[in-house]
């Protein structure tokens, strides 16, 4: 477990330790010692973390533990994590990538993702809601406009958070936007409606994809969420990840704080997707934690088994081993993809299109393999536990629901084809910036 402690048994009721047969199979003192043994697996696979990462983890792991302690109940009762975001913001989680000389932590991109996996293990909703902020920070750090860069670095270092309002629910043609900016008395104003605005309900600012009367293509206008013309709705009704604020945001004559120049961040799309794979890695870890805890605590024995307690049952142990391996593999893939992106961003031998392709292909490969592994692990969770594990009180289904919901974002179904087209035909991933309706679509069901 990432928090360096044995699993907490509070809340889950799988026939708490009371069967004397367990004490006869192994001394009771030995059994209790087994349950309290610290998990010695590394926090993340791959090269050992450096001192900087250790310092960061020391700061944030106590916060992650606090977040984890209420995650299951908040998911079941649909309580938005304002308090939990506040805890992270108190320690300026959003300033991880800001250089130390400018008031941040100076973290590497890969260390941000290592921490994000740990946060998502504690609560996948809280991990996902930072998605836009993480990508926004990467765009800000490479701005050539130093005045604009300094303004945002100062804000982020002070603990301010940025959400997103990129996608429209429908009615816009593919490649176009209905949300627009217009000029009035020397100010640019935003009007429109967005959906899938993950994180905006918790944020100080939101980046809005808009159509501009003087510029072609998608433009990014940043507005304050505190303006009277901004209305944020908690109307996301997906069966998973329900606490991320992935709902509607309405804009009515909202003043623009600034526009973020386009084509400055070749990694933006990849980072958006890699955040989701990191969240899924956290979900896999959380599912493994619950499976481990439940098997350790289980006393009921199936007549079709071998007649030994679940913690000794060979097939159950095999299943736990498989889920552990799947979680390890997911961690490895995500961290490996982020390391590849990190290297591409500083490689002077790549032009912009090549850098974009490396980042996209890394994210696409990771998404292609991570999703089925996590969905499998979160479904397998129930196989060794029986019908009692489906109790609403346990809320173990949240892992599968949340993983399944994340898997629908930028569907992986399309990503393997993109990678294959590159491998066989050297076709680079395309920059597709605006989702919309197919104007040539025919209603075949009519």
């Amino acid at each position: 477990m990432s928090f360096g402690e044995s699993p907490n048994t509070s809340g889950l009721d799988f026939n708490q330790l009371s069967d004397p047969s367990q004490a006869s199979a192994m001394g009771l003192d030995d059994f209790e010692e087994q349950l309290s043994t610290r998990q010695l697996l590394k926090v993340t696979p791959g090269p050992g973390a450096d001192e900087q990462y250790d310092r960061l983890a020391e700061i944030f792991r106590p916060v992650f533990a606090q977040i984890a302690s209420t995650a299951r109940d908040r998911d079941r009762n649909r309580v938005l994590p304002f308090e939990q975001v506040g805890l992270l913001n108190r320690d300026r989680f959003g300033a991880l990538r800001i250089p130390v000389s400018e008031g941040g932590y100076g973290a590497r991109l890969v260390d941000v993702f290592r921490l994000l996996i740990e946060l998502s293990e504690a609560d996948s909703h809280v991990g996902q809601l930072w998605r836009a902020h993480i990508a926004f920070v990467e765009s800000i750090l490479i701005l050539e406009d130093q005045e604009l860069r300094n303004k945002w670095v100062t804000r982020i270092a002070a603990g301010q958070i940025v959400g997103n309002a990129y996608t429209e629910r429908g009615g816009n043609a593919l490649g176009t936007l209905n949300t627009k900016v217009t000029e009035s008395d020397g100010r640019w104003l935003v009007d429109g409606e967005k959906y899938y605005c993950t994180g905006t309900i918790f944020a100080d600012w939101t980046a809005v994809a808009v159509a501009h009367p003087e510029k072609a293509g998608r433009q990014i206008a940043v507005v304050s969420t505190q303006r009277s013309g901004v209305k944020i709705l908690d109307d996301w009704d997906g069966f998973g990840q329900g606490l991320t604020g992935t709902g509607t945001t309405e804009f009515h004559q909202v003043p623009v704080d600034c526009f973020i120049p386009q084509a400055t961040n070749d990694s933006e799309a990849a980072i958006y997707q890699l955040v989701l794979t990191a969240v899924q890695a956290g979900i896999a870890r959380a599912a493994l934690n619950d499976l481990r805890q439940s098997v350790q605590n289980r006393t009921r024995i199936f007549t079709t088994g071998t007649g030994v307690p679940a913690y000794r049952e060979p097939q159950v142990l095999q299943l736990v081993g498989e889920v552990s391996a799947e979680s390890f593999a997911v961690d490895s893939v995500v961290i490996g993809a982020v390391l590849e992106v990190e290297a591409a961003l500083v490689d002077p031998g790549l032009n912009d299109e090549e850098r974009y392709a490396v980042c996209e292909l890394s994210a696409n490969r990771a998404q292609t393999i991570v999703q089925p592994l996590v969905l499998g692990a979160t479904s397998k969770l129930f196989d060794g536990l029986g019908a009692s594990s489906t109790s609403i009180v346990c809320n173990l289904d949240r892992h599968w629901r949340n993983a399944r919901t994340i898997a629908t974002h930028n569907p992986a179904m399309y990503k393997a084809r993109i990678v294959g087209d590159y491998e066989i035909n050297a076709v680079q991933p395309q920059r597709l910036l605006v989702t919309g309706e197919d104007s040539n679509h025919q209603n075949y069901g009519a």
Side-chain angles (χ1 to χ4, degrees):
M1 189 169 180
S2 298
F3 313 131
E5 299 175 352
S6 59
N8 186 331
T9 58
S10 62
L12 283 177
D13 181 13
F14 282 94
N15 301 309
Q16 298 295 317
L17 280 176
S18 60
D19 189 345
S21 66
Q22 295 184 4
S24 64
M26 59 187 296
L28 183 57
D29 290 342
D30 292 337
F31 189 83
E32 289 176 345
E33 182 180 353
Q34 179 190 22
L35 291 187
S36 63
T37 298
R38 177 178 175 178
Q39 300 299 322
L40 298 179
L41 294 176
K42 292 171 63 176
V43 171
T44 53
D50 56 24
E51 290 183 4
Q52 180 191 41
Y53 179 72
D54 290 338
R55 287 195 297 269
L56 293 172
E58 186 177 356
I59 293 169
F60 290 104
R61 279 185 188 148
V63 182
F64 296 165
Q66 284 184 266
I67 291 171
S69 67
T70 58
R72 187 195 65 224
D73 291 338
R74 280 187 284 102
D75 180 279
R76 187 174 66 229
N77 298 317
R78 207 178 192 285
V79 179
L80 293 182
F82 287 103
E83 179 183 351
Q84 288 67 36
V85 174
L87 290 172
L88 288 165
N89 209 27
R90 179 192 63 192
D91 291 324
R92 299 181 307 120
F93 184 79
L96 283 168
R97 284 281 286 149
I98 302 300
V100 173
S101 61
E102 296 179 274
Y105 288 101
R108 290 177 55 188
L109 184 64
V110 70
D111 289 340
V112 173
F113 274 82
R114 284 189 172 110
L115 288 171
L116 184 63
I117 292 173
E118 292 195 47
L119 172 58
S120 300
E121 176 185 2
D123 187 332
S124 61
H125 306 86
V126 181
Q128 186 184 344
L129 67 84
W130 289 92
R131 186 185 185 203
H133 182 91
I134 290 170
F136 184 86
V137 170
E138 293 305 306
S139 296
I140 290 304
L141 289 175
I142 59 175
L143 285 176
E144 294 181 1
D145 183 335
Q146 289 301 303
E147 182 178 352
L148 182 60
R149 180 190 180 280
N150 292 341
K151 176 170 75 170
W152 279 106
V153 164
T154 300
R155 288 172 173 174
I156 294 164
Q160 296 185 31
I161 304 172
V162 182
N164 94 97
Y166 278 13
T167 305
E168 295 175 4
R169 200 167 192 175
N172 63 304
L174 182 66
T176 68
L177 290 163
N178 291 329
T179 303
K180 297 177 171 59
V181 290
T182 55
E183 191 173 15
S184 176
D185 296 327
R187 296 191 307 174
W188 289 101
L189 305 173
V190 177
D191 286 279
E193 181 178 300
K194 297 290 187 175
Y195 196 62
Y196 302 112
C197 300
T198 302
T200 292
I201 199 169
F202 308 100
D204 304 284
W205 306 88
T206 189
V208 189
V210 297
H212 194 293
E214 299 174 4
K215 299 178 182 179
R218 182 191 75 166
Q219 304 300 315
I220 303 300
V222 185
V223 306
S224 169
T225 58
Q226 306 306 307
R227 292 285 188 174
S228 59
V230 178
K231 184 177 181 180
I232 305 172
L233 306 178
D234 179 29
D235 59 348
W236 165 242
D237 62 354
F239 59 65
Q241 292 299 97
L243 313 182
T244 58
T246 305
T248 300
T249 305
E250 300 172 359
F251 303 92
H252 178 67
Q253 295 285 285
V254 181
V256 174
D257 178 83
C258 68
F259 291 96
I260 302 299
Q262 294 297 282
T264 58
N265 184 2
D266 293 318
S267 68
E268 181 188 55
I271 288 174
Y272 260 92
Q273 198 54 48
L274 286 171
V275 167
L276 294 183
T277 61
V279 175
Q280 288 179 310
I283 291 173
R285 287 189 185 187
L288 175 60
N289 293 339
D290 279 349
L291 176 59
R292 182 194 304 116
Q293 172 184 312
S294 302
V295 170
Q296 288 173 335
N297 291 342
R298 188 173 179 82
T299 59
R300 288 171 61 85
I301 299 174
F302 288 108
T303 58
T304 49
T306 60
V308 298
Y311 68 88
R312 294 267 184 167
E313 175 63 62
Q315 287 177 292
V316 173
L317 296 178
Q318 177 179 336
L319 181 140
V320 174
E322 290 172 357
V323 173
S324 178
E326 287 162 346
S327 176
F328 180 84
V330 168
D331 273 5
S332 302
V333 169
V334 175
I335 295 300
V338 174
L339 285 169
E340 190 165 353
V341 169
E342 190 176 64
L345 294 178
V346 296
D347 187 342
L350 299 176
N351 62 36
D352 289 347
E353 289 308 308
E354 290 169 339
R355 184 172 294 106
Y356 174 80
V358 170
C359 293
E360 280 296 286
L361 290 167
S362 298
N364 288 352
R365 291 181 182 117
Q367 186 183 4
T368 298
I369 199 64
V370 162
Q371 289 187 0
L373 286 175
V374 177
L375 291 173
T378 55
S379 181
K380 254 182 222 180
L381 168 67
F382 299 94
D383 291 339
L385 301 178
S388 58
S389 64
T390 66
S391 169
I392 292 174
V393 174
C394 300
N395 198 23
L396 291 178
D397 64 303
R398 74 188 187 280
H399 301 307
W400 183 88
R401 287 187 290 102
N402 291 333
R404 179 65 267 179
T405 299
I406 291 174
T408 64
H409 292 55
N410 309 110
M413 179 179 71
Y414 303 115
K415 301 306 176 74
R417 173 190 56 79
I418 293 171
V419 174
D421 204 9
Y422 174 81
E423 295 284 1
I424 299 300
N425 302 311
V427 176
Q428 292 196 356
Q430 301 300 303
R431 297 177 186 262
L432 301 176
L433 299 179
V434 180
T435 300
E437 306 287 348
D438 178 5
S439 59
N440 297 317
H441 176 71
Q442 300 179 38
N443 186 356
Y444 293 105

